[in-house]
């Protein structure tokens, strides 16, 4: 059940992410460039958290730090995942800059992202038995996520 603790850690971190990002953007005090300056600091935080920390952990466990020795497929998918995460963070800031409020923007993001995740996951990792083997509660969850996102937005 350790995975559940990590999942809740992520829920908390991403749950406060939008509000903190908006607060930082506003506190920078630059209506025109504040979102870009905030995104710069997000990038610095990502660098410290997602570059320095794994390098230290890999080195501490005696792992291979030579990036060129990593499988290209794993490296490529991971790199694209990082780009998508950065695009998502930037999209949130752009939504705030276009007068979206944190509760509405983040409700759309956190209701919509699981729906996209479900569709992409099913296409990249289809279940045994194909799409017809996916149980009804899965589809109901998709609908409820969409309805919940709409209700919070309205």
């Amino acid at each position: 059940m350790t995975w559940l603790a990590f999942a809740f850690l992520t829920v908390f971190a991403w749950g406060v992410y939008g509000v903190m990002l908006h607060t930082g953007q506003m506190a920078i005090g630059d209506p025109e460039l504040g979102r870009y300056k905030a995104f710069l600091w997000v990038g610095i935080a990502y660098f410290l958290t997602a570059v320095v920390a794994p390098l230290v952990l890999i080195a501490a466990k005696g792992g291979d730090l030579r990036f060129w020795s990593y499988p290209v497929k794993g490296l490529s998918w991971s790199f694209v995942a990082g780009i998508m995460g950065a695009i998502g963070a930037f999209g949130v800031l752009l939504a705030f800059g276009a007068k979206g409020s944190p509760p509405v923007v983040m409700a759309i993001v956190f209701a919509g992202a699981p729906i996209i995740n479900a569709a992409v996951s099913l296409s990249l990792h289809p279940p045994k038995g194909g799409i017809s083997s996916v149980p009804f509660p899965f589809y109901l969850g998709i609908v409820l996520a969409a309805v919940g996102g709409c209700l919070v937005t309205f």
Side-chain angles (χ1 to χ4, degrees):
M1 295 297 284
T2 304
W3 66 269
L4 189 57
F6 291 136
F8 282 127
L9 171 67
T10 305
V11 167
F12 174 77
W14 288 359
V16 299
Y17 174 75
V19 175
M20 290 183 166
L21 194 55
H22 184 261
T23 302
Q25 171 191 338
M26 300 306 291
I28 285 177
D30 186 341
E32 184 179 346
L33 300 176
R35 71 188 70 93
Y36 307 127
K37 293 175 181 178
F39 190 58
L40 172 66
W41 283 100
V42 167
I44 292 169
Y46 271 48
F47 176 78
L48 293 173
T49 307
V51 175
V52 175
L55 285 174
V56 169
L57 292 170
I58 292 168
K61 293 186 178 275
D64 189 357
L65 291 174
R66 296 171 297 142
F67 301 125
W68 58 89
S69 69
Y70 295 179
V72 172
K73 184 176 180 181
L75 214 156
S76 300
W77 277 103
S78 300
F79 185 75
V80 171
I83 290 171
M84 297 311 294
I87 289 170
F90 193 51
V92 167
L93 280 166
L94 292 175
F96 292 155
K99 307 294 185 239
S101 68
V104 172
V105 169
M106 299 316 290
I108 291 169
V109 167
F110 289 133
I115 296 169
I116 299 299
N117 176 66
V120 173
S121 293
L122 282 176
S123 68
L124 291 178
H125 307 285
K128 291 181 180 176
I131 196 87
S132 62
S133 67
V134 176
F136 172 75
F138 177 86
Y139 295 108
L140 180 61
I142 298 293
V143 170
L144 291 175
V147 170
C150 288
L151 290 174
V152 172
T153 300
F154 293 132

